[in-house]
Amino acid sequence: MMRKVLIAPSILSADFSKLGQEIKDIEKAGADWIHIDVMDGHFVPNITVGPVVIKSIRPFTKLPFDVHLMIDKPEECVEAFVKAGSDIITFHIEAQENPGEIIKLIKYYKKKVGVSIRPKTELKAIEPILPMVDMVLIMTVEPGFAGQEFILDCLPKIEELRKIFNKDIEVDGGVNESTASDCLANGANIIVAGTSVFGTKDYASAIKRLKGGS
Ligand code: DX5
Ligand code: ZN
């Protein structure tokens, strides 16, 4: 089955002094989802945004908010992220001893649930919960910062996952035109991109190129 390719620009690389306008511009440029990186300075060595910022940008677009939680104890914050306007909530398996609980909680709020794995985490860590999630987010850099280089060793993991998982596979980290096409060829269908979209002057062409257009 051919899956529709979706592009989820990561606002981590946007200009935060005019975030509302950046979101409007990226929607106009053809973005499908807005990817929001939440970091707590514990799970990853960086601190970004939380529910307050998500709530303040919610009126600027109707596109789904794809919220990537790189935080410890994500289950304690699910309600706040739901109320702020999240549509898809992704937690890290490495931050969760009891993933069944947080999955139930996200579903209770009728939101889509994703699970993410770091580059060094093997697929077997998430295999038991695959039937319970809507999406797997495969990190292709160590989570924490935008602008890093794509780790090519992650490609076989995408291919392996596609053999056993027929829902959404999202890739995140160091994705540009060339690595996006590798990810799509290996079975991913959702592309997160920070630098390769917000780092350019023409967002629409950048999105088109990531989708495989010229
Ligand atoms: C990294 C974040 C990514 C990152 C993507 O921890 O999860 O979403 O900001 O940025 P680029 O595309 O520049 O690697
Ligand atoms: Zn992310």
Side-chain angles (χ1 to χ4, degrees):
M1 180 184 90
M2 274 299 280
R3 242 164 275 269
K4 194 170 180 266
V5 175
L6 303 182
I7 307 294
S10 161
I11 60 163
L12 192 54
S13 301
D15 181 344
F16 273 74
S17 69
K18 49 170 187 164
L19 201 46
Q21 189 58 45
E22 288 275 66
I23 291 192
K24 282 187 180 176
D25 290 348
I26 209 71
E27 174 170 10
K28 212 170 149 209
D32 298 289
W33 290 359
I34 305 291
H35 186 81
I36 302 171
D37 289 306
V38 177
M39 307 185 189
D40 66 351
H42 291 276
F43 182 73
V44 288
N46 194 6
I47 301 176
T48 57
V49 300
V52 175
V53 172
I54 295 177
K55 190 174 174 209
S56 73
I57 57 176
R58 188 61 279 188
F60 288 85
T61 180
K62 289 204 164 54
L63 292 181
F65 276 2
D66 174 32
V67 175
H68 179 190
L69 298 180
M70 286 161 276
I71 61 175
D72 283 340
K73 301 189 179 164
E75 70 284 358
E76 292 181 2
C77 304
V78 167
E79 187 182 356
F81 282 102
V82 168
K83 288 192 171 153
S86 310
D87 298 287
I88 302 120
I89 298 182
T90 296
F91 67 92
H92 266 267
I93 193 69
E94 302 87 357
Q96 208 54 51
E97 269 168 29
N98 194 353
E101 291 302 310
I102 186 169
I103 292 171
K104 253 194 259 164
L105 190 58
I106 297 169
K107 287 187 172 171
Y108 167 81
Y109 288 110
K110 301 195 167 35
K111 303 300 169 190
K112 281 193 167 188
V113 51
V115 64
S116 182
I117 53 173
R118 287 174 177 267
K120 290 194 184 81
T121 304
E122 290 178 29
L123 275 186
K124 65 171 191 273
I126 54 167
E127 262 176 47
I129 60 164
L130 288 178
M132 299 159 73
V133 299
D134 301 298
M135 178 172 89
V136 174
L137 193 179
I138 297 202
M139 287 305 301
T140 45
V141 298
E142 274 304 330
F145 299 91
Q148 303 180 75
E149 198 173 327
F150 187 93
I151 301 171
L152 281 168
D153 289 354
C154 297
L155 285 174
K157 213 185 317 188
I158 303 170
E159 193 184 10
E160 282 307 302
L161 178 63
R162 182 46 86 204
K163 286 184 196 150
I164 56 170
F165 187 68
N166 65 9
K167 292 178 259 181
D168 287 331
I169 301 181
E170 182 175 54
V171 285
D172 184 7
V175 182
N176 55 31
E177 206 178 317
S178 144
T179 51
S181 113
D182 291 340
C183 291
L184 296 174
N186 279 277
N189 64 301
I190 302 174
I191 301 284
V192 175
T195 312
S196 64
V197 174
F198 284 107
T200 67
K201 286 211 165 66
D202 183 350
Y203 298 166
S205 322
I207 289 172
K208 200 173 158 202
R209 284 198 301 272
L210 286 168
K211 282 195 176 177
S214 49

